Amino acid sequence: QVQLVESGGGLVQAGGSLRLSCAASGRTFSAYVMAWFRQAPGTERDFVAAISWRGSSTYYADSVKGRFTISRDNAKNTLYLQMNTLKPDDTAVYYCAAGNRWTTNDYDYWGQGTQVTVSS
């Protein structure tokens, strides 16, 4: 089992940048595929990006491709999401997740979320 805590959210103007972090504790961090999801008010939680166990592979939703970068530091048990050229449509609660399969929709452990608000 792993515990996840996100940080780094906040209010930013359109075109700006933010970096989210997700600190993991518990079972070995490198044993998990990691991902970011987001949920805007009144909508379902959507996949944003995933990264493989050692970070050699990444996958992005079309809506963030070219603007967001997912990365991980297994020595620090931390997952990151660098978000550039932010748009108002990126406003959501962002969640990190851990799982055992390379997938966009089947994760076992979730953080509590961090709010990202992009003003126009």
Side-chain angles (χ1 to χ4, degrees), residues 7-64:
S7 62
L11 174 63
V12 63
Q13 288 189 331
S17 298
L18 278 176
R19 188 174 84 154
L20 306 183
S21 298
C22 173
S25 60
R27 192 181 166 200
T28 305
F29 180 63
S30 59
Y32 296 98
V33 172
M34 299 297 298
W36 289 97
F37 288 76
R38 66 186 182 185
Q39 187 170 21
T43 69
E44 294 185 351
R45 189 156 52 188
D46 291 330
F47 170 81
V48 173
I51 188 165
S52 59
W53 297 264
R54 288 184 289 182
S56 57
S57 297
T58 57
Y59 184 76
Y60 296 92
D62 287 343
S63 58
V64 306

Side-chain angles (χ1 to χ4, degrees), residues 44-99:
E44 294 185 351
R45 189 156 52 188
D46 291 330
F47 170 81
V48 173
I51 188 165
S52 59
W53 297 264
R54 288 184 289 182
S56 57
S57 297
T58 57
Y59 184 76
Y60 296 92
D62 287 343
S63 58
V64 306
K65 202 172 295 183
R67 299 188 298 121
F68 290 11
T69 302
I70 188 172
S71 61
R72 66 190 297 165
D73 186 336
N74 286 346
K76 295 183 178 179
N77 293 343
T78 304
L79 174 73
Y80 302 100
L81 185 68
Q82 178 67 43
M83 305 186 295
N84 298 329
T85 320
L86 282 161
K87 306 174 183 179
D89 284 350
D90 295 318
T91 295
V93 177
Y94 283 71
Y95 299 89
C96 67

